[in-house]
Amino acid sequence: SQQGEEDPQALSIQEGENATMNCSYKTSINNLQWYRQNSGRGLVHLILIRSNEREKHSGRLRVTLDTSKKSSSLLITASRAADTASYFCATALGQAGTALIFGKGTTLSVSS
Amino acid sequence: DAGVIQSPRHEVTEMGQEVTLRCKPISGHDYLFWYRQTMMRGLELLIYFNNNVPIDDSGMPEDRFSAKMPNASFSTLKIQPSEPRDSAVYFCASRPQGTRNTIYFGEGSWLTVV
């Protein structure tokens, strides 16, 4: 079963606009991660936010975490056509936190 | 540094045939994961190893699936016999020991069973 669920499933925007993707999860976490997958490729880690953090930035990425609502959001500012990809949130499975469980992802399409 | 290496990248096989997917994790990584990705079910964790020992195989769908890790630099995922519903992208991933659980994915093996 999936721990994280992304919303929306698909998002289409114009270059320069901001893209916001949301993730909800079910159980308590130590951290939450976001990954990106280009078409036909493997997933690549983008950013990790710990449970005691509320917001984190990395370049044009901004991640927020609300543990009381069990939700996170990923904001990509000033999007580019190269940001076109699927984005996944991931949380750890079980107490050991060794394996990651992924949502079904948000497919982002950025048109120029 | 080389990333996670998977082979084959693409395979088309007939129903009933045996399929073997291979993975070489990043050197020094202690954990190895096998995931399966489909449109319907998303990314599913099949099994993972720690120091070559299978830790959790509860995601392996059926007895037709088996995975081995004979040494730290090699793992296989075998499907025998294969069925059309096994068509998916199979990803291998690895990560080092430690509290930060970021994992590194290979490019995937695209399997089509006809």
Side-chain angles (χ1 to χ4, degrees):
Chain A
S1 63
Q2 259 117 7
Q3 163 76 309
E5 294 291 340
E6 292 87 349
D7 170 62
Q9 289 187 339
L11 180 61
S12 294
I13 59 174
Q14 298 285 323
E15 263 192 330
E17 294 180 338
N18 295 341
T20 300
M21 289 157 268
N22 303 297
C23 168
S24 59
Y25 58 92
K26 298 175 183 175
T27 63
S28 61
I29 59 172
N30 291 322
N31 62 61
L32 183 143
Q33 302 181 40
W34 286 89
Y35 285 74
R36 166 189 169 133
Q37 183 181 31
N38 286 359
S39 179
R41 307 296 297 273
L43 281 74
V44 176
H45 176 257
L46 289 177
I47 192 167
L48 179 151
I49 185 165
R50 301 188 190 283
S51 59
N52 61 355
E53 297 176 311
R54 291 296 167 259
E55 188 170 310
K56 196 164 184 179
H57 296 254
S58 177
R60 294 185 295 111
L61 304 181
R62 174 189 165 222
V63 170
T64 62
L65 180 64
D66 187 335
T67 53
S68 67
K69 295 181 179 179
K70 292 187 169 59
S71 67
S72 174
S73 67
L74 171 67
L75 168 68
I76 304 174
T77 59
S79 62
R80 306 165 181 168
D83 296 327
T84 295
S86 292
Y87 294 82
F88 298 84
C89 67
T91 54
L93 174 66
Q95 290 296 320
T98 299
L100 294 182
I101 302 299
F102 291 82
K104 287 190 176 181
T106 292
T107 299
L108 173 65
S109 177
V110 182
S111 52
S112 54
Chain B
D1 287 341
V4 176
I5 299 172
Q6 293 187 244
S7 65
R9 283 298 315 276
H10 300 270
E11 177 146 350
V12 179
T13 191
E14 292 186 345
M15 183 173 63
Q17 296 297 307
E18 177 178 293
V19 174
T20 299
L21 308 178
R22 298 172 178 80
C23 175
K24 176 179 170 55
I26 295 172
S27 178
H29 282 196
D30 300 292
Y31 289 93
L32 183 140
F33 307 87
W34 282 100
Y35 286 88
R36 176 173 70 175
Q37 186 176 38
T38 61
M39 288 293 292
M40 289 294 294
R41 300 176 66 88
L43 202 62
E44 303 172 278
L45 175 65
L46 300 178
I47 185 171
Y48 75 93
F49 296 81
N50 180 23
N51 292 323
N52 314 336
V53 176
I55 303 301
D56 186 348
D57 65 354
S58 60
M60 296 286 264
E62 300 173 30
D63 290 345
R64 298 184 296 106
F65 286 69
S66 63
K68 294 181 179 180
M69 192 165 185
N71 58 62
S73 59
F74 184 66
S75 177
T76 59
L77 178 67
K78 188 172 293 187
I79 308 172
Q80 166 63 19
S82 59
E83 296 183 2
R85 60 192 166 125
D86 302 330
S87 298
V89 184
Y90 291 82
F91 287 102
C92 178
S94 69
R95 79 164 179 91
Q97 199 82 11
T99 56
R100 183 181 171 97
N101 53 2
T102 299
I103 62 176
Y104 300 81
F105 281 80
E107 295 288 67
S109 291
W110 295 68
L111 174 65
T112 302
V113 183
V114 298

